[in-house]
C-alpha cells in the first residue's frame, strides 16, 4: 500500500481531495476496489459460497424460528410461541440442554488442552519420531468409524474385552451392558469423544509451535524468563494466538455438536435419554416430526451458545502472556 493511500485513509472524509475536488468515502472505496479488482475476483468464489451456504441459511433459520412450518405449507408467523414452548413447556428440552452443557464443558476443554499439551510434547521430538507419533494420535480422527473399536471393547456380553477381563479378575459375576447402562453411558461417550478429538486442531497446534521464532526464547532468557512454563506463557502462547483461537473454534463446534458418537455407541435415543442432547432434539423435530420452525428455534439456541463460547474464549486468549 502506497504512502498516498495510507495518508488518504487516515484523512477525514471531508479532506479526500485526490483530484482537487471533494469525494465521499463511498466514492473513494469504489475507486480503490476498481484498482484492486484482481484480488476481489480471486476472493469472489469463496465469498459467494460462504454467503450461499453459511450466511443465508443462518438468516433463514432465524426467521423460520418465529414461524410454524412443516415444509408442506407456507410458514405461519407465530412470533415467540416456539421460544415460549421451548423454555416453558418442553420438558425433554431441559434434559437435552443439561446433557449438552455437560458434554460441552467436559469434552471441549479436555480435547483442547489435551491437543495442545500433546502437540507441545511432540514438538520437542526429532523430525522422524515426531511424524510417527503425530500419525498415531491423528489417525483416529480421520478414520470415520474408528470409535467403533470402543463398542468392541465394551461389548455387553462375555465376548467384550472389558467384560472378559473384569470377570476373569473376579470384579463382576455377569457381563455389564455398558452402552445400555445409565451409569456408564455418559462417561464412556466423553472418553470416546476426547479420544477422537485430536484432529485438525492438534495438527494446527504442532504447526504453530513449529512456526514460533526461536530467537524470541533467547531474548526471553535475557529478559528474565527462567523456565519452560514461563517460556510457554510469555513467548509461545502469545506467538500463536490466532492458531489457539482456530483450535478453540473447532473444539467448541465439536463439543456442542456432540451426537454422532452417542448414536453409534448407544443408539438413538439412548437409555432413559441420559445422553440426549440439543442436537438430537433438533434432529428429532426436523427429521421425524417435520416441525421446521421449532427445530429452527432449537438451532438458534445452539448458535447463540456457540457464539457466546467463542466470545468468551476470544477474551480469555486476549489475556494470554499478560
Amino acid at each position: 500500500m502506497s504512502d498516498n493511500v495510507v495518508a488518504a485513509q487516515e484523512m477525514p472524509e471531508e479532506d479526500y481531495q485526490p483530484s482537487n475536488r471533494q469525494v465521499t468515502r463511498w466514492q473513494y472505496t469504489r475507486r480503490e476496489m476498481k484498482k484492486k479488482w484482481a484480488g476481489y475476483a480471486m476472493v469472489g468464489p469463496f465469498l459467494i459460497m460462504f454467503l450461499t451456504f453459511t450466511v443465508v441459511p443462518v438468516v433463514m433459520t432465524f426467521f423460520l424460528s418465529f414461524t410454524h412450518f412443516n415444509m408442506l405449507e407456507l410458514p405461519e408467523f407465530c412470533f415467540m410461541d416456539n421460544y415460549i414452548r421451548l423454555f416453558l413447556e418442553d420438558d425433554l428440552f431441559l434434559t437435552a440442554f443439561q446433557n449438552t452443557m455437560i458434554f460441552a464443558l467436559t469434552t471441549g476443554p479436555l480435547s483442547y488442552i489435551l491437543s495442545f499439551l500433546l502437540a507441545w510434547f511432540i514438538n520437542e521430538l526429532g523430525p522422524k519420531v515426531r511424524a510417527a507419533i503425530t500419525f498415531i494420535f491423528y489417525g483416529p480422527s480421520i478414520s470415520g468409524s474408528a470409535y467403533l473399536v470402543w463398542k468392541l471393547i465394551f461389548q455387553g456380553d462375555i465376548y467384550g474385552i472389558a467384560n472378559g477381563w473384569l470377570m476373569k479378575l473376579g470384579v463382576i459375576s455377569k457381563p455389564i451392558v455398558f452402552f445400555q447402562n445409565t451409569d456408564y453411558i455418559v462417561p464412556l461417550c466423553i472418553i470416546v469423544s476426547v479420544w477422537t478429538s485430536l484432529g485438525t486442531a492438534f495438527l494446527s497446534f504442532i504447526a504453530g509451535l513449529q512456526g514460533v521464532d526461536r530467537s524470541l526464547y533467547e531474548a526471553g532468557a535475557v529478559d528474565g524468563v527462567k523456565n519452560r512454563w514461563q517460556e510457554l506463557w510469555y513467548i509461545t502462547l502469545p506467538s500463536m494466538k490466532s492458531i489457539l483461537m482456530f483450535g478453540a473454534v473447532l473444539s467448541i463446534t465439536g463439543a456442542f455438536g456432540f451426537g454422532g458418537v452417542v448414536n453409534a455407541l448407544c443408539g438413538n435415543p439412548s437409555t432413559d435419554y441420559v445422553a440426549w442432547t440439543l442436537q438430537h432434539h433438533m434432529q428429532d423435530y426436523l427429521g421425524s416430526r417435520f416441525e421446521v420452525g421449532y427445530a429452527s428455534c432449537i438451532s438458534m439456541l445452539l448458535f447463540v451458545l456457540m457464539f457466546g463460547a467463542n466470545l468468551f474464549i476470544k477474551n480469555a486468549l486476549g489475556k494470554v502472556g499478560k
Side-chain angles (χ1 to χ4, degrees), residues 55-73:
V55 176
V56 172
V58 170
V59 174
M60 289 181 62
T61 301
F62 174 74
F63 285 108
L64 287 174
S65 69
F66 295 100
T67 67
H68 293 308
F69 182 39
N70 59 9
M71 292 196 298
L72 297 176
E73 302 172 328

Side-chain angles (χ1 to χ4, degrees), residues 1-11 28:
M1 185 177 294
S2 66
D3 295 338
N4 292 334
V5 173
V6 173
Q9 289 179 336
E10 295 175 351
M11 293 170 62
Y28 173 76

Side-chain angles (χ1 to χ4, degrees), residues 39-52:
Y40 287 100
M42 294 179 183
V43 176
F46 169 78
L47 184 60
I48 293 172
M49 293 183 65
F50 178 75
L51 290 173
T52 304

Side-chain angles (χ1 to χ4, degrees), residues 85-98 273 276 281 285 294:
R85 174 186 172 189
L86 183 67
F87 289 103
L88 301 181
E89 300 176 12
D90 190 346
D91 294 334
L92 193 55
F93 159 74
L94 298 177
T95 300
F97 181 79
Q98 179 182 351
Y273 293 93
W276 188 259
H281 208 46
Y285 278 94
Y294 194 67

Side-chain angles (χ1 to χ4, degrees), residues 91-168:
D91 294 334
L92 193 55
F93 159 74
L94 298 177
T95 300
F97 181 79
Q98 179 182 351
N99 291 335
T100 299
M101 296 308 296
I102 290 173
F103 286 131
L105 294 176
T106 51
T107 60
L110 278 176
S111 64
Y112 185 74
I113 294 172
L114 183 61
S115 294
F116 180 80
L117 290 179
L118 284 174
W120 190 34
F121 167 73
I122 293 172
N123 185 59
E124 302 298 319
L125 303 176
K128 294 183 178 179
V129 178
R130 181 169 62 240
I133 296 180
T134 299
F135 176 77
I136 291 172
F137 281 109
Y138 183 63
S141 67
I142 59 176
S143 302
S145 301
Y147 52 78
L148 292 180
V149 69
W150 291 86
K151 199 167 185 176
L152 175 63
I153 295 173
F154 292 99
Q155 188 172 327
D157 53 33
I158 60 174
Y159 301 105
I161 297 174
N163 276 323
W165 277 101
L166 290 174
M167 293 179 68
K168 185 176 181 180

